[in-house]
PDB file of all heavy atoms in Angstrom:
ATOM      1  N   PHE V  32     -77.533 163.665-156.190  1.00  0.00           N
ATOM      2  CA  PHE V  32     -76.685 164.636-155.492  1.00  0.00           C
ATOM      3  C   PHE V  32     -75.567 165.086-156.421  1.00  0.00           C
ATOM      4  O   PHE V  32     -74.634 164.330-156.708  1.00  0.00           O
ATOM      5  CB  PHE V  32     -76.089 164.009-154.224  1.00  0.00           C
ATOM      6  CG  PHE V  32     -77.104 163.735-153.150  1.00  0.00           C
ATOM      7  CD1 PHE V  32     -77.700 162.483-153.037  1.00  0.00           C
ATOM      8  CD2 PHE V  32     -77.471 164.731-152.261  1.00  0.00           C
ATOM      9  CE1 PHE V  32     -78.645 162.233-152.052  1.00  0.00           C
ATOM     10  CE2 PHE V  32     -78.418 164.486-151.271  1.00  0.00           C
ATOM     11  CZ  PHE V  32     -79.007 163.236-151.166  1.00  0.00           C
ATOM     12  N   PRO V  48     -69.994 162.692-145.081  1.00  0.00           N
ATOM     13  CA  PRO V  48     -70.897 162.273-143.999  1.00  0.00           C
ATOM     14  C   PRO V  48     -71.727 163.435-143.487  1.00  0.00           C
ATOM     15  O   PRO V  48     -71.415 164.607-143.735  1.00  0.00           O
ATOM     16  CB  PRO V  48     -69.941 161.768-142.923  1.00  0.00           C
ATOM     17  CG  PRO V  48     -68.702 162.570-143.134  1.00  0.00           C
ATOM     18  CD  PRO V  48     -68.587 162.773-144.630  1.00  0.00           C
ATOM     19  N   ILE V  59     -77.410 158.568-129.028  1.00  0.00           N
ATOM     20  CA  ILE V  59     -76.735 158.998-127.807  1.00  0.00           C
ATOM     21  C   ILE V  59     -77.710 159.748-126.905  1.00  0.00           C
ATOM     22  O   ILE V  59     -77.708 159.574-125.675  1.00  0.00           O
ATOM     23  CB  ILE V  59     -75.509 159.870-128.152  1.00  0.00           C
ATOM     24  CG1 ILE V  59     -74.450 159.015-128.843  1.00  0.00           C
ATOM     25  CG2 ILE V  59     -74.937 160.530-126.897  1.00  0.00           C
ATOM     26  CD1 ILE V  59     -73.286 159.804-129.405  1.00  0.00           C
ATOM     27  N   ASP V  99     -54.007 169.772-110.445  1.00  0.00           N
ATOM     28  CA  ASP V  99     -52.715 169.126-110.660  1.00  0.00           C
ATOM     29  C   ASP V  99     -52.486 168.076-109.578  1.00  0.00           C
ATOM     30  O   ASP V  99     -52.527 168.413-108.394  1.00  0.00           O
ATOM     31  CB  ASP V  99     -51.617 170.196-110.605  1.00  0.00           C
ATOM     32  CG  ASP V  99     -50.249 169.677-110.988  1.00  0.00           C
ATOM     33  OD1 ASP V  99     -50.188 168.712-111.775  1.00  0.00           O
ATOM     34  OD2 ASP V  99     -49.248 170.234-110.499  1.00  0.00           O
ATOM     35  N   TYR V 102     -55.258 165.227-116.435  1.00  0.00           N
ATOM     36  CA  TYR V 102     -55.033 164.844-117.824  1.00  0.00           C
ATOM     37  C   TYR V 102     -54.174 165.896-118.533  1.00  0.00           C
ATOM     38  O   TYR V 102     -54.499 167.088-118.532  1.00  0.00           O
ATOM     39  CB  TYR V 102     -56.377 164.680-118.523  1.00  0.00           C
ATOM     40  CG  TYR V 102     -56.321 164.266-119.978  1.00  0.00           C
ATOM     41  CD1 TYR V 102     -55.458 163.268-120.415  1.00  0.00           C
ATOM     42  CD2 TYR V 102     -57.155 164.878-120.915  1.00  0.00           C
ATOM     43  CE1 TYR V 102     -55.421 162.887-121.739  1.00  0.00           C
ATOM     44  CE2 TYR V 102     -57.136 164.501-122.243  1.00  0.00           C
ATOM     45  CZ  TYR V 102     -56.270 163.511-122.654  1.00  0.00           C
ATOM     46  OH  TYR V 102     -56.234 163.124-123.979  1.00  0.00           O
ATOM     47  N   THR V 140     -59.735 184.673-116.362  1.00  0.00           N
ATOM     48  CA  THR V 140     -59.898 183.214-116.319  1.00  0.00           C
ATOM     49  C   THR V 140     -61.207 182.847-117.004  1.00  0.00           C
ATOM     50  O   THR V 140     -62.280 183.221-116.542  1.00  0.00           O
ATOM     51  CB  THR V 140     -59.900 182.694-114.871  1.00  0.00           C
ATOM     52  OG1 THR V 140     -58.713 183.138-114.209  1.00  0.00           O
ATOM     53  CG2 THR V 140     -59.953 181.171-114.855  1.00  0.00           C
ATOM     54  N   LEU V 165     -68.913 175.204-109.565  1.00  0.00           N
ATOM     55  CA  LEU V 165     -70.018 175.476-110.486  1.00  0.00           C
ATOM     56  C   LEU V 165     -70.848 176.672-110.031  1.00  0.00           C
ATOM     57  O   LEU V 165     -71.309 177.472-110.858  1.00  0.00           O
ATOM     58  CB  LEU V 165     -70.913 174.236-110.601  1.00  0.00           C
ATOM     59  CG  LEU V 165     -70.326 173.035-111.347  1.00  0.00           C
ATOM     60  CD1 LEU V 165     -71.201 171.804-111.132  1.00  0.00           C
ATOM     61  CD2 LEU V 165     -70.192 173.322-112.831  1.00  0.00           C
ATOM     62  N   THR V 188     -74.245 165.003-116.111  1.00  0.00           N
ATOM     63  CA  THR V 188     -75.173 165.342-117.201  1.00  0.00           C
ATOM     64  C   THR V 188     -76.585 165.601-116.674  1.00  0.00           C
ATOM     65  O   THR V 188     -77.353 166.314-117.324  1.00  0.00           O
ATOM     66  CB  THR V 188     -75.219 164.224-118.256  1.00  0.00           C
ATOM     67  OG1 THR V 188     -75.482 162.968-117.621  1.00  0.00           O
ATOM     68  CG2 THR V 188     -73.918 164.146-119.033  1.00  0.00           C
ATOM     69  N   GLU V 190     -77.277 167.477-114.375  1.00  0.00           N
ATOM     70  CA  GLU V 190     -77.284 168.843-113.850  1.00  0.00           C
ATOM     71  C   GLU V 190     -77.174 169.903-114.953  1.00  0.00           C
ATOM     72  O   GLU V 190     -76.969 171.084-114.658  1.00  0.00           O
ATOM     73  CB  GLU V 190     -76.115 169.023-112.869  1.00  0.00           C
ATOM     74  CG  GLU V 190     -76.037 167.980-111.772  1.00  0.00           C
ATOM     75  CD  GLU V 190     -76.833 168.374-110.548  1.00  0.00           C
ATOM     76  OE1 GLU V 190     -77.676 169.283-110.651  1.00  0.00           O
ATOM     77  OE2 GLU V 190     -76.593 167.777-109.486  1.00  0.00           O
ATOM     78  N   LYS V 193     -79.363 173.022-114.716  1.00  0.00           N
ATOM     79  CA  LYS V 193     -79.065 173.881-113.567  1.00  0.00           C
ATOM     80  C   LYS V 193     -77.815 174.727-113.815  1.00  0.00           C
ATOM     81  O   LYS V 193     -77.715 175.858-113.321  1.00  0.00           O
ATOM     82  CB  LYS V 193     -78.892 173.034-112.313  1.00  0.00           C
ATOM     83  CG  LYS V 193     -78.679 173.849-111.046  1.00  0.00           C
ATOM     84  CD  LYS V 193     -78.601 172.932-109.819  1.00  0.00           C
ATOM     85  CE  LYS V 193     -78.370 173.749-108.544  1.00  0.00           C
ATOM     86  NZ  LYS V 193     -78.266 172.878-107.350  1.00  0.00           N
ATOM     87  N   LEU V 247     -72.026 149.856-131.972  1.00  0.00           N
ATOM     88  CA  LEU V 247     -71.696 149.636-130.564  1.00  0.00           C
ATOM     89  C   LEU V 247     -72.829 150.050-129.635  1.00  0.00           C
ATOM     90  O   LEU V 247     -73.078 149.416-128.612  1.00  0.00           O
ATOM     91  CB  LEU V 247     -70.433 150.414-130.196  1.00  0.00           C
ATOM     92  CG  LEU V 247     -69.105 149.900-130.740  1.00  0.00           C
ATOM     93  CD1 LEU V 247     -68.018 150.943-130.555  1.00  0.00           C
ATOM     94  CD2 LEU V 247     -68.712 148.603-130.046  1.00  0.00           C
ATOM     95  N   LEU V 268     -57.251 142.725-108.230  1.00  0.00           N
ATOM     96  CA  LEU V 268     -55.906 143.298-108.273  1.00  0.00           C
ATOM     97  C   LEU V 268     -55.599 144.070-106.994  1.00  0.00           C
ATOM     98  O   LEU V 268     -54.520 143.926-106.416  1.00  0.00           O
ATOM     99  CB  LEU V 268     -55.768 144.229-109.477  1.00  0.00           C
ATOM    100  CG  LEU V 268     -55.254 143.648-110.790  1.00  0.00           C
ATOM    101  CD1 LEU V 268     -55.084 144.753-111.825  1.00  0.00           C
ATOM    102  CD2 LEU V 268     -53.935 142.911-110.604  1.00  0.00           C
ATOM    103  N   LYS V 292     -48.188 152.977-105.395  1.00  0.00           N
ATOM    104  CA  LYS V 292     -46.865 153.487-105.006  1.00  0.00           C
ATOM    105  C   LYS V 292     -45.975 152.286-104.737  1.00  0.00           C
ATOM    106  O   LYS V 292     -46.364 151.375-103.993  1.00  0.00           O
ATOM    107  CB  LYS V 292     -46.977 154.359-103.761  1.00  0.00           C
ATOM    108  CG  LYS V 292     -45.675 155.043-103.347  1.00  0.00           C
ATOM    109  CD  LYS V 292     -45.908 155.937-102.136  1.00  0.00           C
ATOM    110  CE  LYS V 292     -44.643 156.652-101.713  1.00  0.00           C
ATOM    111  NZ  LYS V 292     -44.195 157.634-102.715  1.00  0.00           N
ATOM    112  N   LEU V 303     -40.682 145.512-115.390  1.00  0.00           N
ATOM    113  CA  LEU V 303     -41.904 145.054-116.057  1.00  0.00           C
ATOM    114  C   LEU V 303     -41.753 145.075-117.575  1.00  0.00           C
ATOM    115  O   LEU V 303     -42.268 144.184-118.275  1.00  0.00           O
ATOM    116  CB  LEU V 303     -43.094 145.915-115.621  1.00  0.00           C
ATOM    117  CG  LEU V 303     -43.557 145.741-114.171  1.00  0.00           C
ATOM    118  CD1 LEU V 303     -44.655 146.757-113.835  1.00  0.00           C
ATOM    119  CD2 LEU V 303     -44.053 144.320-113.915  1.00  0.00           C
ATOM    120  N   ILE V 309     -46.257 146.501-120.155  1.00  0.00           N
ATOM    121  CA  ILE V 309     -46.141 147.949-120.229  1.00  0.00           C
ATOM    122  C   ILE V 309     -47.201 148.592-119.333  1.00  0.00           C
ATOM    123  O   ILE V 309     -48.401 148.381-119.509  1.00  0.00           O
ATOM    124  CB  ILE V 309     -46.320 148.459-121.675  1.00  0.00           C
ATOM    125  CG1 ILE V 309     -45.390 147.694-122.630  1.00  0.00           C
ATOM    126  CG2 ILE V 309     -46.070 149.960-121.741  1.00  0.00           C
ATOM    127  CD1 ILE V 309     -43.921 147.798-122.288  1.00  0.00           C
ATOM    128  N   CYS V 319     -47.142 162.113-107.328  1.00  0.00           N
ATOM    129  CA  CYS V 319     -47.076 160.713-107.760  1.00  0.00           C
ATOM    130  C   CYS V 319     -45.665 160.136-107.696  1.00  0.00           C
ATOM    131  O   CYS V 319     -45.311 159.242-108.488  1.00  0.00           O
ATOM    132  CB  CYS V 319     -47.621 160.576-109.182  1.00  0.00           C
ATOM    133  SG  CYS V 319     -49.362 160.979-109.344  1.00  0.00           S
ATOM    134  N   LEU V 336     -49.092 140.206-114.658  1.00  0.00           N
ATOM    135  CA  LEU V 336     -48.579 141.374-113.950  1.00  0.00           C
ATOM    136  C   LEU V 336     -48.262 141.028-112.498  1.00  0.00           C
ATOM    137  O   LEU V 336     -47.177 141.372-111.982  1.00  0.00           O
ATOM    138  CB  LEU V 336     -49.613 142.505-114.002  1.00  0.00           C
ATOM    139  CG  LEU V 336     -49.358 143.690-113.070  1.00  0.00           C
ATOM    140  CD1 LEU V 336     -48.168 144.509-113.553  1.00  0.00           C
ATOM    141  CD2 LEU V 336     -50.608 144.560-112.945  1.00  0.00           C
TER     142      LEU V 336
END
Side-chain angles (χ1 to χ4, degrees):
F32 291 95
I59 293 172
D99 187 28
Y102 181 44
T140 305
L165 289 168
T188 52
E190 308 271 16
K193 184 177 179 181
L247 288 167
L268 268 185
K292 185 177 181 67
L303 290 174
I309 309 301
C319 296
L336 168 71

